[in-house]
Amino acid sequence: TIKGSGADIERTADSFCYVYKQAQGDIEITARVTSIQNTNAWAKAGVMIRETLNANSMDALMSITPANGLEFQRRTTTGGSAVNTQVAGRAVPYWLRIKRVGNVFTGYSSPDGVTWTTVGSATISMAANVYIGMHELSHVNTTLGTAVTDNVNTAGTVFVTAAGMNESVT
């Protein structure tokens, strides 16, 4: 369960809750979002790979919203504008995956965790060391929203710390 506020992950700077670990090289994260509170039609929950914890960081993510379906979103340059590929008509529970191979980031979705569909792909020249994790935002900066995920799985070199997952509001 992740609770957070935040205005959005978009444009040139982000405001959201991020639960993450450091990772390196070719990696992926998969999770099933089982619920997301409808604080706004554009509230978001999902999985992300991010170069830094700065608000204007390059990133690639897969999200699900309460009313606007899925999105594969990416910021291909630090401080650049985020670009979004949407798939309408999807609702929780839904499986999401973001995968990095070299500088190619691909977002996937699945209704059952078995049959996967590519939502989008982008080339992003990110550093080898990145942050991988789950995000949540209410899309209303002064209101907490809640999202629940399960079946979280990572592949590749993910650094485990004694403290477990770290949390940051960017």
Side-chain angles (χ1 to χ4, degrees):
T1 301
I2 303 172
K3 293 184 181 211
S5 62
D8 209 347
I9 304 171
E10 66 171 0
R11 295 188 187 93
T12 59
D14 306 325
S15 171
F16 68 105
C17 182
Y18 191 36
V19 179
Y20 62 88
K21 287 193 173 283
Q22 289 184 292
Q24 182 179 64
D26 294 345
I27 51 173
E28 71 179 59
I29 183 169
T30 303
R32 182 177 68 158
V33 180
T34 61
S35 69
I36 181 170
Q37 186 176 353
N38 191 357
T39 54
N40 182 285
W42 285 104
K44 297 176 185 176
V47 293
M48 172 187 276
I49 299 172
R50 191 170 183 88
E51 186 176 51
T52 72
L53 299 178
N54 297 332
N56 66 349
S57 177
M58 289 186 277
D59 61 36
L61 61 94
M62 279 296 303
S63 294
I64 192 159
T65 69
N68 293 304
L70 300 172
E71 62 181 0
F72 168 63
Q73 186 173 298
R74 61 273 185 202
R75 182 178 294 118
T76 60
T77 60
T78 301
S81 292
V83 178
N84 197 342
T85 302
Q86 288 183 255
V87 179
R90 305 297 189 271
V92 293
Y94 224 83
W95 292 77
L96 305 173
R97 175 180 292 154
I98 194 80
K99 182 176 184 177
R100 175 191 193 173
V101 177
N103 285 328
V104 177
F105 293 77
T106 307
Y108 303 90
S109 67
S110 172
D112 57 12
V114 176
T115 304
W116 291 90
T117 301
T118 300
V119 177
S121 188
T123 299
I124 308 172
S125 296
M126 244 184 241
N129 293 323
V130 295
Y131 297 89
I132 187 170
M134 299 169 294
H135 64 274
E136 191 280 336
L137 65 92
S138 65
H139 208 276
V140 181
N141 204 33
T142 58
T143 301
L144 281 178
T146 302
V148 178
T149 60
D150 65 11
N151 292 287
V152 178
N153 187 23
T154 58
T157 304
V158 178
F159 302 109
V160 179
T161 63
M165 297 295 279
N166 296 305
E167 183 176 340
S168 172
V169 177
T170 313

